Amino acid sequence: MPVIAMSREMGSLGKDVAYGLGDVFNIRVKHHEIVDHVADKTRLRKTHVISYLQGKLGFLDRMTIDQASIAIHSADEILTLAAETSEGIVLRGWGATALLRSIPHVVCVRVCAPTELRVERMMERLDSDERDRVITEIAHSDQAHDAIMKRNFAVAATDATHYDVVLNTERMSVAECVEAVVHAVRSADFAETESSRARLENAALEARCRAVLRRDGKTRDCQVAIAALGGRVMLSGVVNTVAQAAACAELTSAVRGVSGVENVLKSMESAGTRRGGSI
Protein backbone atom coordinates (compact mmCIF):
# COMPACT_ATOMS: atom_id res chain seq x y z
CA MET A 1 0.00 0.00 0.00
CA PRO A 2 2.05 3.00 -1.21
CA VAL A 3 1.84 6.28 0.67
CA ILE A 4 3.71 9.03 -1.16
CA ALA A 5 4.12 12.59 0.14
CA MET A 6 5.16 15.21 -2.40
CA SER A 7 6.20 18.84 -2.33
CA ARG A 8 4.36 21.31 -4.56
CA GLU A 9 6.32 23.78 -6.70
CA MET A 10 4.64 25.73 -9.47
CA GLY A 11 5.97 24.80 -12.91
CA SER A 12 8.06 21.87 -11.68
CA LEU A 13 5.81 19.23 -13.34
CA GLY A 14 5.21 17.75 -9.89
CA LYS A 15 1.49 17.46 -10.68
CA ASP A 16 2.29 15.36 -13.76
CA VAL A 17 4.56 13.11 -11.70
CA ALA A 18 1.89 12.75 -9.01
CA TYR A 19 -0.80 11.70 -11.48
CA GLY A 20 1.68 9.40 -13.20
CA LEU A 21 2.19 7.65 -9.87
CA GLY A 22 -1.55 7.56 -9.35
CA ASP A 23 -1.92 5.74 -12.68
CA VAL A 24 0.87 3.24 -11.98
CA PHE A 25 -0.46 2.26 -8.55
CA ASN A 26 -4.14 2.98 -9.27
CA ILE A 27 -4.37 5.25 -6.24
CA ARG A 28 -5.82 8.68 -5.49
CA VAL A 29 -3.92 11.96 -5.70
CA LYS A 30 -5.03 14.50 -3.09
CA HIS A 31 -4.35 18.23 -3.01
CA HIS A 32 -7.18 20.62 -3.90
CA GLU A 33 -9.85 18.48 -2.20
CA ILE A 34 -8.24 19.14 1.18
CA VAL A 35 -9.06 22.85 0.96
CA ASP A 36 -12.78 22.26 1.51
CA HIS A 37 -12.25 20.21 4.67
CA VAL A 38 -9.73 22.61 6.19
CA ALA A 39 -11.90 25.65 5.39
CA ASP A 40 -14.93 23.99 6.97
CA LYS A 41 -13.12 22.94 10.15
CA THR A 42 -11.42 26.32 10.64
CA ARG A 43 -14.59 28.25 9.70
CA LEU A 44 -12.66 30.22 7.12
CA ARG A 45 -13.60 31.03 3.58
CA LYS A 46 -12.16 28.63 1.04
CA THR A 47 -10.65 31.60 -0.80
CA HIS A 48 -8.82 32.66 2.38
CA VAL A 49 -7.29 29.21 2.82
CA ILE A 50 -6.16 29.17 -0.82
CA SER A 51 -4.73 32.69 -0.56
CA TYR A 52 -2.87 31.67 2.61
CA LEU A 53 -1.29 28.70 0.84
CA GLN A 54 -0.35 30.84 -2.17
CA GLY A 55 1.05 33.74 -0.14
CA LYS A 56 -1.58 36.16 -1.45
CA LEU A 57 -3.27 37.27 1.76
CA GLY A 58 -3.63 41.01 2.21
CA PHE A 59 -2.17 42.80 5.23
CA LEU A 60 -5.38 42.73 7.29
CA ASP A 61 -6.05 39.07 6.50
CA ARG A 62 -2.51 38.14 7.53
CA MET A 63 -3.07 39.88 10.85
CA THR A 64 -6.43 38.23 11.56
CA ILE A 65 -6.41 34.78 9.97
CA ASP A 66 -5.93 31.89 12.40
CA GLN A 67 -2.80 30.33 10.95
CA ALA A 68 -2.39 27.95 13.88
CA SER A 69 -5.82 26.44 13.25
CA ILE A 70 -5.03 25.97 9.56
CA ALA A 71 -1.83 24.13 10.48
CA ILE A 72 -3.54 21.93 13.08
CA HIS A 73 -6.45 20.96 10.84
CA SER A 74 -4.21 20.45 7.82
CA ALA A 75 -2.14 18.00 9.87
CA ASP A 76 -5.32 16.21 10.95
CA GLU A 77 -6.51 15.93 7.34
CA ILE A 78 -3.18 14.73 5.91
CA LEU A 79 -2.41 12.19 8.61
CA THR A 80 -5.96 10.82 8.61
CA LEU A 81 -5.90 10.38 4.82
CA ALA A 82 -2.55 8.57 5.05
CA ALA A 83 -3.61 6.35 7.94
CA GLU A 84 -7.06 5.42 6.69
CA THR A 85 -6.30 4.65 3.05
CA SER A 86 -6.79 1.00 2.18
CA GLU A 87 -5.18 1.07 -1.27
CA GLY A 88 -2.59 3.87 -1.06
CA ILE A 89 -2.47 7.59 -1.74
CA VAL A 90 -0.37 10.45 -3.12
CA LEU A 91 -0.49 13.61 -0.99
CA ARG A 92 0.72 16.87 -2.54
CA GLY A 93 1.61 19.96 -0.55
CA TRP A 94 0.11 20.95 2.83
CA GLY A 95 3.36 20.07 4.59
CA ALA A 96 2.72 16.39 3.88
CA THR A 97 6.43 15.64 3.49
CA ALA A 98 7.19 17.10 6.93
CA LEU A 99 4.17 15.51 8.61
CA LEU A 100 4.95 12.05 7.24
CA ARG A 101 8.76 12.18 7.17
CA SER A 102 9.09 10.08 10.34
CA ILE A 103 6.85 7.27 9.07
CA PRO A 104 9.21 4.56 7.71
CA HIS A 105 7.03 3.29 4.86
CA VAL A 106 6.14 6.75 3.46
CA VAL A 107 8.22 7.97 0.50
CA CYS A 108 8.79 11.75 0.62
CA VAL A 109 9.47 13.34 -2.76
CA ARG A 110 10.49 16.76 -4.02
CA VAL A 111 10.03 17.55 -7.71
CA CYS A 112 11.91 20.70 -8.72
CA ALA A 113 13.33 22.60 -11.70
CA PRO A 114 15.31 25.83 -12.28
CA THR A 115 13.22 28.96 -11.88
CA GLU A 116 13.67 30.13 -15.46
CA LEU A 117 12.40 26.81 -16.80
CA ARG A 118 9.43 26.93 -14.44
CA VAL A 119 8.59 30.42 -15.71
CA GLU A 120 8.69 29.20 -19.33
CA ARG A 121 6.44 26.26 -18.51
CA MET A 122 3.88 28.38 -16.66
CA MET A 123 3.77 30.95 -19.47
CA GLU A 124 3.06 28.15 -21.91
CA ARG A 125 0.49 26.51 -19.63
CA LEU A 126 -1.34 29.79 -19.05
CA ASP A 127 -0.91 30.87 -22.68
CA SER A 128 0.51 34.13 -21.34
CA ASP A 129 3.23 36.49 -22.51
CA GLU A 130 3.28 38.37 -19.18
CA ARG A 131 6.64 37.12 -17.97
CA ASP A 132 6.92 39.52 -15.03
CA ARG A 133 3.52 38.52 -13.74
CA VAL A 134 4.37 34.81 -13.96
CA ILE A 135 7.69 35.40 -12.20
CA THR A 136 5.82 37.19 -9.40
CA GLU A 137 3.29 34.37 -9.07
CA ILE A 138 6.01 31.75 -8.78
CA ALA A 139 7.95 33.85 -6.27
CA HIS A 140 4.84 34.34 -4.08
CA SER A 141 4.08 30.62 -4.21
CA ASP A 142 7.66 29.64 -3.28
CA GLN A 143 7.84 32.18 -0.46
CA ALA A 144 4.51 31.08 0.99
CA HIS A 145 5.48 27.40 0.86
CA ASP A 146 8.85 28.04 2.49
CA ALA A 147 7.30 30.27 5.18
CA ILE A 148 4.73 27.61 6.06
CA MET A 149 7.37 24.87 6.26
CA LYS A 150 9.65 26.98 8.45
CA ARG A 151 6.87 28.21 10.73
CA ASN A 152 5.08 24.88 11.18
CA PHE A 153 7.93 22.38 10.93
CA ALA A 154 11.19 24.36 11.32
CA VAL A 155 12.53 23.03 8.02
CA ALA A 156 13.45 24.68 4.72
CA ALA A 157 11.26 23.55 1.83
CA THR A 158 14.31 23.29 -0.44
CA ASP A 159 16.48 21.25 1.96
CA ALA A 160 17.28 18.04 0.07
CA THR A 161 17.93 16.11 3.30
CA HIS A 162 14.26 16.51 4.16
CA TYR A 163 13.25 14.19 1.27
CA ASP A 164 13.87 10.59 0.27
CA VAL A 165 13.83 11.34 -3.45
CA VAL A 166 14.67 14.67 -5.16
CA LEU A 167 13.92 14.92 -8.89
CA ASN A 168 14.97 17.71 -11.25
CA THR A 169 12.67 17.81 -14.27
CA GLU A 170 15.19 19.84 -16.24
CA ARG A 171 17.26 16.67 -16.40
CA MET A 172 14.61 13.95 -16.13
CA SER A 173 11.35 13.37 -17.98
CA VAL A 174 8.09 12.89 -16.10
CA ALA A 175 8.19 9.18 -16.98
CA GLU A 176 11.71 8.84 -15.57
CA CYS A 177 10.66 10.65 -12.38
CA VAL A 178 7.70 8.33 -11.96
CA GLU A 179 9.95 5.32 -12.47
CA ALA A 180 12.39 6.57 -9.81
CA VAL A 181 9.63 6.97 -7.21
CA VAL A 182 8.08 3.61 -8.11
CA HIS A 183 11.49 1.99 -7.54
CA ALA A 184 11.70 3.58 -4.07
CA VAL A 185 8.14 2.61 -3.14
CA ARG A 186 8.76 -1.02 -4.13
CA SER A 187 12.10 -1.30 -2.35
CA ALA A 188 12.48 -3.12 0.94
CA ASP A 189 13.56 0.14 2.59
CA PHE A 190 10.01 1.48 2.35
CA ALA A 191 8.09 -1.72 3.01
CA GLU A 192 5.14 -1.22 5.33
CA THR A 193 5.47 -3.12 8.60
CA GLU A 194 3.23 -3.56 11.60
CA SER A 195 5.46 -1.14 13.48
CA SER A 196 5.42 1.56 10.78
CA ARG A 197 1.64 1.21 10.41
CA ALA A 198 1.16 1.63 14.16
CA ARG A 199 3.40 4.70 14.12
CA LEU A 200 1.24 6.32 11.45
CA GLU A 201 -2.00 5.45 13.24
CA ASN A 202 -0.67 6.93 16.50
CA ALA A 203 0.37 10.14 14.73
CA ALA A 204 -3.05 10.41 13.06
CA LEU A 205 -4.86 9.94 16.37
CA GLU A 206 -2.71 12.61 18.03
CA ALA A 207 -3.54 15.02 15.20
CA ARG A 208 -7.25 14.21 15.46
CA CYS A 209 -7.26 14.91 19.20
CA ARG A 210 -5.32 18.15 18.71
CA ALA A 211 -7.86 19.33 16.12
CA VAL A 212 -10.81 18.55 18.39
CA LEU A 213 -9.30 20.56 21.24
CA ARG A 214 -8.60 23.45 18.86
CA ARG A 215 -12.22 23.60 17.67
CA ASP A 216 -13.75 23.87 21.13
CA GLY A 217 -13.89 27.33 22.72
CA LYS A 218 -13.01 26.00 26.18
CA THR A 219 -9.79 24.35 25.05
CA ARG A 220 -8.69 26.06 21.82
CA ASP A 221 -5.90 28.04 23.49
CA CYS A 222 -4.65 25.25 25.74
CA GLN A 223 -1.06 24.17 25.20
CA VAL A 224 -1.48 20.40 25.55
CA ALA A 225 1.08 17.72 24.70
CA ILE A 226 -0.70 14.70 23.21
CA ALA A 227 0.82 11.22 22.98
CA ALA A 228 -1.12 8.29 21.52
CA LEU A 229 -0.24 4.62 21.72
CA GLY A 230 -2.62 2.00 20.38
CA GLY A 231 -5.73 4.02 21.14
CA ARG A 232 -4.59 5.16 24.58
CA VAL A 233 -3.94 8.91 24.78
CA MET A 234 -1.94 10.80 27.40
CA LEU A 235 -2.50 14.51 27.91
CA SER A 236 0.25 16.52 29.61
CA GLY A 237 1.27 20.12 30.09
CA VAL A 238 -0.09 23.11 31.99
CA VAL A 239 -3.48 24.78 31.51
CA ASN A 240 -5.06 27.72 33.30
CA THR A 241 -7.90 26.08 35.22
CA VAL A 242 -9.04 22.73 36.58
CA ALA A 243 -12.12 23.05 34.38
CA GLN A 244 -9.93 23.32 31.26
CA ALA A 245 -8.02 20.19 32.24
CA ALA A 246 -11.29 18.32 32.70
CA ALA A 247 -12.65 19.63 29.38
CA CYS A 248 -9.52 18.49 27.54
CA ALA A 249 -9.91 14.98 28.94
CA GLU A 250 -13.65 14.86 28.20
CA LEU A 251 -13.28 16.02 24.61
CA THR A 252 -10.35 13.69 23.96
CA SER A 253 -12.19 10.67 25.33
CA ALA A 254 -14.93 11.21 22.73
CA VAL A 255 -12.55 11.33 19.74
CA ARG A 256 -12.93 8.51 17.24
CA GLY A 257 -10.29 5.85 17.87
CA VAL A 258 -9.56 6.79 21.50
CA SER A 259 -9.95 3.83 23.88
CA GLY A 260 -8.74 5.58 27.03
CA VAL A 261 -7.29 8.86 28.32
CA GLU A 262 -4.56 9.40 30.90
CA ASN A 263 -4.92 12.99 32.04
CA VAL A 264 -1.77 14.31 33.72
CA LEU A 265 -2.47 17.95 32.90
CA LYS A 266 -1.61 20.42 35.63
CA SER A 267 -3.48 23.68 36.16
CA MET A 268 -2.25 27.06 37.32
CA GLU A 269 -5.42 27.32 39.38
CA SER A 270 -4.72 24.22 41.45
CA ALA A 271 -1.09 25.25 41.87
CA GLY A 272 -2.24 28.59 43.33
CA THR A 273 -4.64 26.80 45.69
CA ARG A 274 -1.91 24.54 47.01
CA ARG A 275 0.22 27.58 47.83
CA GLY A 276 -2.68 29.05 49.76
CA GLY A 277 -3.17 31.98 47.40
CA SER A 278 -4.54 32.88 44.02
CA ILE A 279 -2.95 33.69 40.70
Side-chain angles (χ1 to χ4, degrees):
M1 184 191 70
V3 178
I4 303 165
M6 295 183 62
S7 64
R8 182 174 178 271
E9 296 181 34
M10 189 180 294
S12 69
L13 300 185
K15 180 178 179 179
D16 302 75
V17 175
Y19 281 98
L21 290 165
D23 290 341
V24 169
F25 291 112
N26 192 27
I27 58 178
R28 298 170 297 160
V29 177
K30 289 286 187 177
H31 172 62
H32 293 295
E33 303 89 338
I34 298 171
V35 172
D36 293 326
H37 297 286
V38 172
D40 181 58
K41 291 177 180 178
T42 56
R43 299 177 183 175
L44 292 170
R45 293 179 182 176
K46 180 178 176 179
T47 53
H48 280 179
V49 176
I50 294 172
S51 294
Y52 164 75
L53 294 172
Q54 295 177 342
K56 296 180 180 178
L57 285 175
F59 176 76
L60 290 179
D61 287 330
R62 289 200 304 273
M63 294 298 101
T64 59
I65 196 169
D66 189 351
Q67 297 183 36
S69 285
I70 293 177
I72 289 169
H73 288 93
S74 297
D76 176 27
E77 190 71 17
I78 290 293
L79 287 163
T80 296
L81 284 168
E84 296 186 350
T85 181
S86 57
E87 64 280 334
I89 196 166
V90 179
L91 296 160
R92 294 185 65 229
W94 297 91
T97 54
L99 288 164
L100 295 165
R101 184 72 178 88
S102 64
I103 309 302
H105 67 274
V106 175
V107 179
C108 295
V109 181
R110 180 188 176 207
V111 180
C112 60
T115 300
E116 184 57 32
L117 178 56
R118 294 165 63 199
V119 170
E120 294 294 333
R121 286 171 176 168
M122 291 307 299
M123 289 177 65
E124 181 178 352
R125 182 177 300 177
L126 299 171
D127 192 22
S128 170
D129 59 0
E130 298 181 75
R131 175 177 293 274
D132 289 345
R133 182 176 179 181
V134 172
I135 290 172
T136 299
E137 289 291 317
I138 289 176
H140 281 167
S141 177
D142 288 353
Q143 290 165 7
H145 186 207
D146 198 49
I148 289 169
M149 294 292 279
K150 286 179 179 176
R151 179 171 57 249
N152 295 342
F153 310 109
V155 298
T158 56
D159 183 356
T161 62
H162 175 65
Y163 305 95
D164 303 306
V165 182
V166 178
L167 305 164
N168 179 358
T169 55
E170 180 188 36
R171 304 281 292 175
M172 298 175 68
S173 68
V174 169
E176 289 171 328
C177 291
V178 170
E179 184 180 353
V181 180
V182 168
H183 176 75
V185 169
R186 290 175 173 166
S187 72
D189 292 331
F190 294 97
E192 182 179 336
T193 64
E194 184 176 337
S195 174
S196 70
R197 182 73 189 174
R199 192 165 179 173
L200 176 55
E201 290 173 351
N202 289 335
L205 185 54
E206 290 168 4
R208 195 176 308 135
C209 292
R210 196 167 290 111
V212 166
L213 295 185
R214 186 69 183 183
R215 285 199 296 273
D216 193 281
K218 299 185 295 292
T219 58
R220 66 177 284 110
D221 295 321
C222 294
Q223 302 298 311
V224 179
I226 301 172
L229 183 62
R232 299 284 303 178
V233 177
M234 183 174 72
L235 306 177
S236 60
V238 179
V239 295
N240 290 327
T241 67
V242 173
Q244 279 184 328
C248 287
E250 182 180 358
L251 288 166
T252 302
S253 66
V255 172
R256 175 173 56 87
V258 172
S259 59
V261 176
E262 181 181 357
N263 183 8
V264 294
L265 286 166
K266 302 183 184 303
S267 73
M268 298 294 288
E269 184 179 64
S270 61
T273 301
R274 286 197 298 272
R275 288 198 298 269
S278 60
I279 296 177

